[in-house]
C-alpha cells in the first residue's frame, strides 16, 4: 500500500454539500514539502518507496505533455501546485458546479479542479463561520442565481467572476451567527443526515434582518425556494 505520508485527502465537487463534507475516500499523491518545494527522487525512494514505485509505473502516462517535458519541473510534479500553507489554513469550499449554494469549512482536505476555495482576509474563526452562514443562506442562494446563468440541468458555476459580485455585509457582532453555524456543523459532524432546518431558518431570518429586507421581499425569496 502507498505510504500515507505522501498522500493527501482529496475533495471532489460531489463530496461537498451544504454544511457537510461527504468524502468519497480519494487521496492524491502530493510530492512536495511544507515549503511547497518538490521532493527529490532520493527522498521519495527512501521515505515513500511504494509511492515512488507507483509513480515509476505511471511514468509513461505522465509523459507527452510538451509544455511540461520542456520545463524545469521533475517528471512526477504537478504543473500548477498550490501553496502548502493554504491547504493547512481554514477555507470555505464549494463545488465548482452545483444546483445551489453548497459551502463548507475545512482545513484538512485538498481539492481537485472541480472545487473552489475561499480564504478571506479576516481569518478569525467567527468571521469564517459568519461568512459560511451568509453564503449558505436562502437570500445569498437567491441572489447568486440572479447574477449567474444556469447551465444544463439547473446547475450553476461557482467562480470568482460571479462570487465576487455577491453583496457580503460587514458586521462587528459576528458571534451570534457563528454560534448557530457551529451548532449546524456539529450536528452534521455527529450525524450527516441530521435535520438542521430549524437552525438554518434561524440563520435565514438573521440574514434577512441584516440586509433590511421587507416582508414582501422575504415572501418573494421564500417563494422561489424549491
Amino acid at each position: 500500500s502507498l505510504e500515507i505520508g505522501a498522500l493527501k485527502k482529496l475533495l471532489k465537487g460531489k463530496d461537498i454539500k451544504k454544511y457537510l463534507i461527504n468524502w468519497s475516500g480519494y487521496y492524491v499523491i502530493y510530492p512536495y514539502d511544507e515549503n511547497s518545494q518538490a521532493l527529490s527522487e532520493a527522498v521519495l525512494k527512501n521515505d515513500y518507496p511504494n509511492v515512488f514505485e507507483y509513480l515509476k509505473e505511471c511514468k509513461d502516462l505522465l509523459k507527452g505533455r510538451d509544455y511540461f517535458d520542456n520545463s524545469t519541473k521533475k517528471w512526477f510534479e504537478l504543473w500548477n501546485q498550490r501553496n502548502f500553507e493554504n491547504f493547512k489554513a481554514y477555507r470555505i469550499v464549494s463545488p465548482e458546479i452545483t444546483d445551489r449554494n453548497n459551502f463548507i469549512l475545512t482545513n484538512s482536505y485538498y481539492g481537485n479542479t472541480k472545487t473552489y476555495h475561499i480564504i478571506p482576509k479576516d481569518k478569525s474563526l467567527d468571521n469564517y463561520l459568519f461568512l459560511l452562514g451568509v453564503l449558505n443562506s436562502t437570500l445569498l442562494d437567491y441572489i447568486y442565481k440572479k447574477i449567474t446563468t444556469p447551465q444544463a440541468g439547473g446547475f450553476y458555476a461557482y467562480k470568482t467572476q460571479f462570487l465576487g459580485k455577491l453583496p457580503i455585509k460587514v458586521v462587528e457582532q459576528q458571534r451570534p451567527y457563528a454560534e448557530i453555524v457551529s451548532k449546524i456543523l456539529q450536528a452534521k459532524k455527529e450525524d450527516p443526515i441530521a435535520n438542521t432546518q430549524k437552525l438554518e431558518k434561524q440563520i435565514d431570518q438573521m440574514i434577512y434582518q441584516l440586509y433590511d429586507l421587507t416582508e414582501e421581499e422575504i415572501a418573494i425569496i421564500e417563494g422561489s425556494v424549491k
Side-chain angles (χ1 to χ4, degrees):
S1 61
L2 303 180
E3 294 84 5
I4 196 68
L7 306 178
K8 306 297 180 186
K9 289 183 176 180
L10 182 70
L11 278 183
K12 293 191 170 187
K14 65 180 183 180
D15 299 342
I16 303 167
K17 308 299 181 184
K18 185 180 180 183
Y19 293 118
L20 176 69
I21 288 177
N22 188 17
W23 183 50
S24 52
Y26 283 90
Y27 287 87
V28 62
I29 296 174
Y30 206 73
Y32 297 88
D33 62 22
E34 293 197 3
N35 296 314
S36 301
Q37 299 300 310
L39 301 176
S40 66
E41 287 194 44
V43 168
L44 273 177
K45 186 174 182 179
N46 291 330
D47 295 353
Y48 312 109
N50 293 338
V51 168
F52 183 67
E53 287 302 315
Y54 175 76
L55 287 172
K56 284 204 304 182
E57 291 174 8
C58 298
K59 193 169 184 177
D60 286 343
L61 295 174
L62 298 173
K63 291 179 179 178
R65 298 172 292 170
D66 291 340
Y67 63 91
F68 192 95
D69 295 338
N70 295 328
S71 74
T72 58
K73 285 182 172 287
K74 297 179 176 65
W75 60 270
F76 53 80
E77 280 196 71
L78 300 174
W79 176 248
N80 191 16
Q81 77 273 18
R82 296 297 191 264
N83 188 320
F84 184 85
E85 289 298 319
N86 286 342
F87 285 114
K88 291 197 302 181
Y90 272 114
R91 287 155 286 128
I92 294 175
V93 188
S94 166
E96 184 188 41
I97 304 294
T98 184
D99 61 345
R100 60 148 296 130
N101 288 19
N102 283 305
F103 293 92
I104 184 60
L105 182 63
T106 183
N107 66 343
S108 58
Y109 290 89
Y110 283 44
N112 68 5
T113 56
K114 297 303 179 183
T115 61
Y116 190 91
H117 300 241
I118 302 169
I119 300 179
K121 291 181 179 179
D122 178 356
K123 297 178 177 59
S124 66
L125 183 55
D126 275 4
N127 186 55
Y128 271 107
L129 295 171
F130 166 73
L131 287 175
L132 186 61
V134 172
L135 289 170
N136 277 332
S137 70
T138 299
L139 173 58
L140 268 290
D141 182 66
Y142 176 84
I143 293 173
Y144 195 83
K145 289 173 180 176
K146 294 295 183 183
I147 62 177
T148 186
T149 304
Q151 302 183 2
F155 289 85
Y156 297 83
Y158 283 72
K159 297 182 178 181
T160 302
Q161 66 190 97
F162 303 120
L163 289 167
K165 296 178 182 178
L166 285 175
I168 305 297
K169 281 208 169 186
V170 178
V171 295
E172 292 184 5
Q173 300 299 324
Q174 298 176 325
R175 181 103 289 263
Y177 304 87
E179 287 177 348
I180 298 172
V181 172
S182 291
K183 290 178 182 178
I184 296 172
L185 293 174
Q186 185 61 36
K188 293 292 188 183
K189 182 178 180 181
E190 293 174 359
D191 179 7
I193 62 171
N195 187 336
T196 58
Q197 287 188 355
K198 185 176 180 180
L199 291 169
E200 291 179 43
K201 286 186 178 298
Q202 192 174 347
I203 283 287
D204 276 345
Q205 292 303 317
M206 294 169 70
I207 300 301
Y208 292 147
Q209 185 175 0
L210 176 64
Y211 283 76
D212 298 319
L213 265 64
T214 65
E215 291 297 326
E216 291 77 13
E217 290 169 332
I218 293 172
I220 291 171
I221 292 166
E222 295 284 349
S224 73
V225 177
K226 295 179 180 179

